Amino acid sequence: MSNTARSGSAAATRDELFDALADGRRRTVLRLVRDRTPQGIGKDDLALRLAAVTAEKELATVTDDDHHRALVALHHRLLPRLTDAGLLEETDDGLLRLVDRRMIDGLGVETLCSDSEGTDADGTDTISEAPADGR
């Protein structure tokens, strides 16, 4: 039995997409980038905003340590999955943007990335994980 590469087939692409959306922090990143699209957002600014949102702080109260941890998480865990899934792209000038707003809207990503208070993050994770599993 051999393992095949995930990329290439439509099912693999769909699996990667829903797998990327199955994490609440990645959905938060998408929402933050969406709010700055079409012009885009730099990684440093995105990390600052992500640290503020996840720590439930005002931007002005985010510490250098909070900012650095968010920047590391973006670089190593969050952005690679979102770019590999085809949801985000980095421009030549280093800004991050949504790849195709129509695709995002058509998949209901807007709803999944909602920051409304009534949103159940665990439930949204489960809803996103279900179609990510090839079985």
Side-chain angles (χ1 to χ4, degrees):
M1 177 194 244
S2 66
N3 292 333
T4 58
R6 289 179 54 114
S7 60
S9 72
T13 303
R14 184 193 67 235
D15 290 350
E16 289 172 354
L17 174 69
F18 284 106
D19 189 45
L21 294 172
D23 180 77
R25 285 181 54 128
R26 287 193 295 267
R27 290 191 309 272
T28 298
V29 169
L30 278 178
R31 181 177 46 82
L32 292 169
V33 172
R34 180 201 65 210
D35 292 346
R36 297 298 187 120
T37 297
Q39 68 270 20
I41 185 171
K43 289 180 187 176
D44 197 54
D45 188 22
L46 179 60
L48 182 65
R49 292 174 187 285
L50 179 63
V53 168
T54 56
E56 297 180 5
K57 295 181 175 183
E58 296 291 325
L59 281 175
T61 63
V62 172
T63 65
D64 289 340
D65 193 45
D66 292 336
H67 180 245
H68 179 73
R69 277 195 306 266
L71 195 55
V72 168
L74 279 172
H75 181 75
H76 291 289
R77 290 191 312 272
L78 304 172
L79 294 177
R81 293 291 286 277
L82 293 169
T83 55
D84 289 350
L87 293 166
L88 292 181
E89 67 181 355
E90 187 171 351
T91 64
D92 291 337
D93 55 353
L95 296 177
L96 296 162
R97 294 189 306 206
L98 293 178
V99 172
D100 184 349
R101 181 72 184 242
R102 293 168 301 175
M103 178 187 79
I104 301 290
D105 293 343
L107 290 169
V109 174
E110 185 82 24
T111 302
L112 288 174
C113 296
S114 170
D115 62 344
S116 63
E117 292 182 24
T119 303
D120 174 14
D122 291 335
T124 304
D125 289 351
T126 302
I127 289 168
S128 299
E129 287 171 357
D133 187 349
R135 292 176 283 162

